[in-house]
Each structure stands twice: as structure tokens, then as C-alpha cells.
Amino acid sequence: RHGKHVLCEKPLASNAREARQMVAVARECGVTLMEAMISTLNPNFRVVQEYLPRLGTIRRYFASFCQYSSRYDKFRQGIVLNAFNPELSNGAMMDIGVYTVYPMVALFGRPLEVEAQGIVLSSGADGQGVVNFRYEGMNATVLYSKIANSSLPTEIQGEEGNLLLDAIHTIRDVAYLPRPAAASGRGDAPVRHSVGLPLEKDTYYYEVAEFIDL
């Protein structure tokens, strides 16, 4: 309302009602409101978008981001900081899981069905979870955690090939693996082609540049 453009740290709001209100006020005041999401503004996300047609019919999206939080040590000592405080709309999905879901929706749109399981901590915030999404002809699964680490990559599987991403929140390496000839599991292994771009700037540079352009 003071005529300032706003770059809002993810996630944009606690719920859809708040998000709609934020968008309405931005339009009313003629300013830019942008959600800060480093993953989809990474140059390698555009590489993913460019290579997606080569995969043929997409059958699965899998993403994982599990990062043990330094604040979880305090939580285990009985000190509830903002990262695990549901009154602040926080928890693993809002802080970490959003990195796995946002690129999925950016690539494939809104899912038809959602099924989720998670571990709810004593504060009422989720510590980790797994979510399955159903699309027309495609499944998606995301894993996220703030109470355990994982080194699993992200993969998009198609009938004609796969894309392998080293880390969904900061994509530094993208590999394209065209499908080899079917051979009942005894054929040649897929040939890996590294197609990612080197990140020449700080990871936050790209979202700030996008915000300034807007």
C-alpha cells in the first residue's frame, strides 16, 4: 500500500485466501508481488522445460528434499523455534516440501488427486512427509523432511527417456537419458548426457534478477 514492489519469501502465504488477498492488493496498488522461489528461476529449470518433450509421454515425477534442520536440535531439547511452530504456519512442507511441489506444478499444472502421509511432531508441526499426486496418465511422488537427510536425486520419467536432476531446490546438474531399446532388462544401460548449465552466479541472483525485470 506504500507503492513498494514486494519479493516475498516462499511460501507466499499460509493459505489460498491470504494469497488471493495479497494478489488483489498488489493489483490495486499497481505494484509487483513475486514469490521468491530459487528452483524454478534457476537456468537449469529452463533446461528441464526444453528437454521435457524428448521424454515422450511423461509417466512419473519424483522429487526429494530432506535436510536435517539445525533448529531440530533445539526442538529435541524442548525449545520450539519458528521452523517447528505451527502458529507461524511452519513445518517441513511449508519450509522444505514446497521446493518439491512448486516445480511439479510449474511443469504439469494442478494434480487431480492428492494423498499425503507425514510425521507430526509434538508442537503440531510436520517433521517430514510423503505426498502422492495423480495426474492424467502420470503419477508424482515427493519426499521432504526437516528431521533427516537424504541424497536422493529428482527424476522425471517418460516413455522415451528420463531426466535426472541432482537437487530439486538448487539444480546444478541435469542429465538426459534416452530410453535404450527394450531388451528384457539385459540390454545396454541408458546413455547419460549431461545437459545442465554451469551456474555462474550465486543461486539467489536469478530470482533477484527476475524480480528486478518484473
Side-chain angles (χ1 to χ4, degrees):
R1 294 193 182 282
H2 290 275
K4 304 295 185 182
H5 302 296
V6 175
L7 176 62
C8 182
E9 182 55 81
K10 58 79 193 165
L12 188 65
S14 297
N15 50 60
R17 176 183 56 79
E18 291 180 356
R20 292 189 192 103
Q21 184 180 10
M22 294 167 72
V23 171
V25 172
R27 285 175 173 162
E28 173 192 331
C29 299
V31 296
T32 293
L33 168 65
M34 176 180 142
E35 183 175 30
M37 180 59 64
I38 59 174
S39 53
T40 53
L41 295 172
N42 182 312
N44 281 316
F45 187 75
R46 289 194 289 274
V47 172
V48 172
Q49 292 172 307
E50 292 169 4
Y51 269 81
L52 214 57
R54 301 194 187 194
L55 306 187
T57 301
I58 306 298
R59 291 305 188 188
R60 186 181 306 279
Y61 168 92
F62 170 81
S64 173
F65 186 16
C66 302
Q67 180 175 278
Y68 185 96
S69 171
S70 59
R71 294 175 178 85
Y72 188 54
D73 284 337
K74 291 289 187 181
F75 184 89
R76 293 169 69 179
Q77 297 169 13
I79 304 170
V80 180
L81 300 177
N82 62 328
F84 296 103
N85 187 346
E87 293 182 2
L88 301 177
S89 297
N90 221 325
M93 169 52 83
M94 297 293 270
D95 189 21
I96 293 290
V98 65
Y99 284 112
T100 64
V101 176
Y102 197 104
M104 178 193 77
V105 175
L107 291 172
F108 306 112
R110 185 183 182 132
L112 300 173
E113 293 181 5
V114 180
E115 180 187 31
Q117 297 179 11
I119 294 177
V120 177
L121 303 174
S122 58
S123 67
D126 59 319
Q128 70 176 41
V130 55
V131 188
N132 292 312
F133 304 88
R134 184 178 70 84
Y135 286 86
E136 188 67 42
M138 184 190 108
N139 301 116
T141 298
V142 302
L143 311 179
Y144 58 91
S145 178
K146 288 175 67 69
I147 59 177
N149 286 323
S150 172
S151 56
L152 290 174
T154 287
E155 187 173 44
I156 304 174
Q157 304 169 4
E159 292 187 352
E160 305 303 325
N162 293 14
L163 282 175
L164 198 64
L165 288 56
D166 63 332
I168 190 61
H169 59 295
T170 308
I171 310 170
R172 295 185 177 278
D173 181 58
V174 180
Y176 167 58
L177 293 83
R179 176 182 59 79
S184 301
R186 296 188 180 131
D188 296 332
V191 178
R192 180 186 179 115
H193 302 276
S194 182
V195 296
L197 300 172
L199 299 185
E200 300 175 348
K201 307 284 188 180
D202 182 272
T203 54
Y204 290 98
Y205 168 88
Y206 305 100
E207 76 173 37
V208 174
E210 174 76 4
F211 179 62
I212 291 172
D213 287 345
L214 291 173

